[in-house]
Amino acid sequence: MILEPTTLKRIVRSVLSTCPDEIGCDECFEQLDRFVELKLAGKNAAEAMPLVQDHLDRCPDCREEFEALLAVLRYMT
Ligand SMILES: [Zn+2]
C-alpha cells in the first residue's frame, strides 16, 4: 500500500492534534467552496459544516480567504 503525501499529512495531523475534530488550513480550504456555496444559497453553512466554521472562527488567514471567495461569488452571481 502506497500512501499519498496528503494522506500521510492527514494521519500525522490527526495523531498530533489535541482535538481530533479540528481541521487544518488545507482541509478548510478544500471544503471552503462548498461552504461558501451553502452560504450563498441561504443555507445554514455553519450547521452543515461545523468544522469549517470552527476553523474560520480561529484562523484569520482562512477567514480572509473565505471573505474574499464570498465577495467574488456574490459579485459573479
Ligand atoms: Zn486556516
Side-chain angles (χ1 to χ4, degrees):
M1 181 178 141
I2 299 160
L3 284 172
E4 299 282 333
T6 49
T7 311
L8 213 63
K9 244 165 62 186
R10 201 159 285 163
I11 292 168
V12 170
R13 190 185 288 143
S14 71
V15 169
L16 294 177
S17 177
T18 46
C19 173
D21 286 341
E22 230 170 77
I23 59 169
C25 293
D26 291 352
E27 277 155 280
C28 180
F29 190 72
E30 272 170 31
Q31 298 179 54
L32 206 55
D33 286 9
R34 220 172 94 70
F35 189 82
V36 171
E37 262 171 40
L38 286 171
K39 277 259 184 216
L40 289 173
K43 303 226 168 77
N44 194 338
E47 197 173 87
M49 304 172 82
L51 294 182
V52 175
Q53 179 65 59
D54 180 57
H55 186 86
L56 290 176
D57 286 343
R58 285 178 296 108
C59 180
D61 289 347
C62 289
R63 180 91 208 170
E64 209 171 286
E65 201 78 49
F66 163 69
E67 305 277 4
L69 199 59
L70 196 66
V72 168
L73 285 174
R74 266 209 182 117
Y75 180 75
M76 276 165 48
T77 49

